[in-house]
Amino acid sequence: MKSEGVSEGSCTAVKRVCLRRSSENSTVEDRAAGGTSVQVSVIVPVYNGSDWLDQCLQAVVDQDYQGSMELSVYDDSSTWVLLRIRLYLRAVDSTCAFRMRLLVARYGVILKVLQSDTRGGSTHSVQSNSIHRLYLFQVFTSHGPTVVMPTWFCSRDWFLKVGPFDEGGKGVPEDLLWFYRSLRLGGSVLRVDECLLIYRYHQHAATHSVLEETIWTLRVNFLQERVLDQWDSFTIWNAGKQGRKLYRSLSLTNQKKVKAFCDVDEKKIKKGFYTYEDSKERPKPKIPVLRVKDASPPFIVCVKLDMTAGVLEESLASLKLKEGEDFYHFN
């Protein structure tokens, strides 16, 4: 969807960001007006965000970042919001040292997508000692996102390499699909261990249009592609609801690789096995349920961290397992 003021054919229409075409050999400095280089482009897509827009934009203004920055706000077919955005930016421009303009984000070396119903939780520049590499074996979360998109900072060159967001429309988790494409191309993730964002959960949020089962299926498929397809066999750590759901969601090939479930719940262990009742196979598959100490790696751990009073963490440590080789978290 094009932003108002961008002529047809002058941009590549993308849901989250619209990039004007520029000369293949031009640099950021060449493209910037007046030869001024812009380090960071903050991109804010807006759809009827009246309740939160002021706080969102003010959070950008309040940052202590001293480099050059542009703020690009996009109306996503709102009924009234563009006029208000223009008035707001006009008011802010007289007091703000930043280069605020309602136009296509085409200059920044670094791109930052900020949703209009969120706002920054930190106003100061991040120190290098709070930045840590997020290892690629830590990206297999089953429900919540690995890295919430409004906290992303991404180089412009990498965004162009990975390509635009999926334009499938309502119900498509385009941020998750883009994240997976980035990882497949060798992208890495750096995590800042600070509160960077205040995320609002409200009834009109776009996240409600994405079904939980859609997210689950995408995450299971990515886990299979990147991990399970390379293993000959494995154990699912959790004989409860989450572990059984993972088993049922696997391809038939990977189901056959599951040698056991393991658990600490004596009731599940005493039962001795899990029967996959919905299987079309005869006889129906029966998967052993073992105590953790009797199970063998590699494991897919389907237990939430920080939810077992340290029991899970202690068990993993006692077995001297190496994450990314002997086990992966899927929780």
Side-chain angles (χ1 to χ4, degrees):
M1 190 169 297
K2 294 198 300 292
S3 174
E4 183 174 311
V6 179
S7 62
E8 186 174 355
S10 66
C11 72
T12 302
V14 178
K15 183 175 183 180
R16 297 290 187 185
V17 59
C18 188
L19 301 174
R20 284 188 184 274
R21 296 191 182 96
S22 59
S23 170
E24 185 174 313
N25 297 322
S26 64
T27 64
V28 172
E29 288 79 9
D30 294 333
R31 291 194 301 269
T36 302
S37 174
V38 176
Q39 277 75 50
V40 177
S41 293
V42 179
I43 303 154
V44 183
V46 180
Y47 177 73
N48 289 347
S50 60
D51 293 338
W52 313 285
L53 186 59
D54 289 351
Q55 291 184 359
C56 174
L57 298 181
Q58 189 62 51
V60 178
V61 173
D62 290 342
Q63 299 300 308
D64 70 356
Y65 175 67
Q66 297 299 309
S68 56
M69 175 189 294
E70 68 173 359
L71 171 63
S72 296
V73 183
Y74 293 84
D75 173 52
D76 192 7
S77 298
S78 300
T79 56
W80 56 266
V81 76
L82 253 179
L83 176 62
R84 182 168 182 179
I85 292 173
R86 286 173 173 162
L87 292 175
Y88 186 95
L89 291 182
R90 189 174 301 164
V92 176
D93 190 57
S94 60
T95 59
C96 178
F98 298 148
R99 192 179 180 193
M100 304 284 195
R101 293 167 299 172
L102 181 61
L103 44 71
V104 175
R106 56 181 175 168
Y107 298 145
V109 177
I110 301 296
L111 303 180
K112 159 69 176 162
V113 178
L114 182 65
Q115 293 168 326
S116 60
D117 56 358
T118 61
R119 67 185 178 91
S122 174
T123 60
H124 63 276
S125 299
V126 172
Q127 301 301 310
S128 59
N129 60 4
S130 67
I131 300 176
H132 304 282
R133 179 172 295 278
L134 185 67
Y135 295 102
L136 296 186
F137 53 69
Q138 297 174 304
V139 301
F140 301 102
T141 53
S142 59
H143 289 82
T146 305
V147 184
V148 182
M149 193 190 70
T151 66
W152 291 2
F153 279 83
C154 174
S155 78
R156 176 188 180 84
D157 288 343
W158 186 250
F159 179 84
L160 294 176
K161 179 179 177 63
V162 176
F165 288 97
D166 188 296
E167 280 290 289
K170 189 175 182 180
V172 175
E174 71 279 5
D175 51 346
L176 179 62
L177 293 173
W178 192 96
F179 184 64
Y180 284 165
R181 288 210 319 271
S182 175
L183 294 177
R184 289 184 182 108
L185 290 172
S188 60
V189 183
L190 299 176
R191 183 183 66 196
V192 176
D193 290 338
E194 294 184 22
C195 178
L196 299 178
L197 180 82
I198 297 175
Y199 185 88
R200 289 185 176 87
Y201 185 85
H202 56 91
Q203 62 179 343
H204 301 297
T207 188
H208 296 304
S209 69
V210 182
L211 299 177
E212 181 179 327
E213 198 60 30
T214 299
I215 297 292
W216 172 267
T217 299
L218 287 170
R219 293 186 182 281
V220 170
N221 289 343
F222 191 68
L223 175 68
Q224 293 188 102
E225 171 195 325
R226 307 296 284 188
V227 179
L228 304 185
D229 288 351
Q230 281 70 55
W231 282 354
D232 294 326
S233 63
F234 61 96
T235 300
I236 295 177
W237 190 313
N238 187 348
K241 180 179 178 180
Q242 185 81 346
R244 297 195 304 267
K245 181 178 180 180
L246 172 61
Y247 174 84
R248 294 192 301 269
S249 302
L250 298 175
S251 67
L252 181 59
T253 298
N254 284 325
Q255 284 179 356
K256 292 182 179 297
K257 295 179 182 179
V258 179
K259 52 189 174 183
F261 290 90
C262 69
D263 212 292
V264 296
D265 187 333
E266 286 297 326
K267 290 182 179 180
K268 297 185 180 73
I269 295 168
K270 286 180 179 179
K271 186 175 180 180
F273 57 86
Y274 162 69
T275 303
Y276 182 21
E277 297 291 353
D278 294 334
S279 174
K280 296 179 181 180
E281 292 188 73
R282 295 294 182 272
K284 296 179 180 179
K286 290 188 176 182
I287 314 302
V289 178
L290 308 175
R291 289 183 173 83
V292 169
K293 67 181 181 63
D294 296 326
S296 58
F299 298 98
I300 295 298
V301 181
C302 297
V303 182
K304 292 181 180 179
L305 293 169
D306 303 320
M307 295 292 287
T308 61
V311 173
L312 171 64
E313 291 80 0
E314 289 176 6
S315 296
L316 288 170
S318 68
L319 295 174
K320 299 186 181 345
L321 302 174
K322 183 176 181 181
E323 187 175 3
E325 293 184 11
D326 302 315
F327 72 95
Y328 284 81
H329 283 287
F330 187 69
N331 45 35

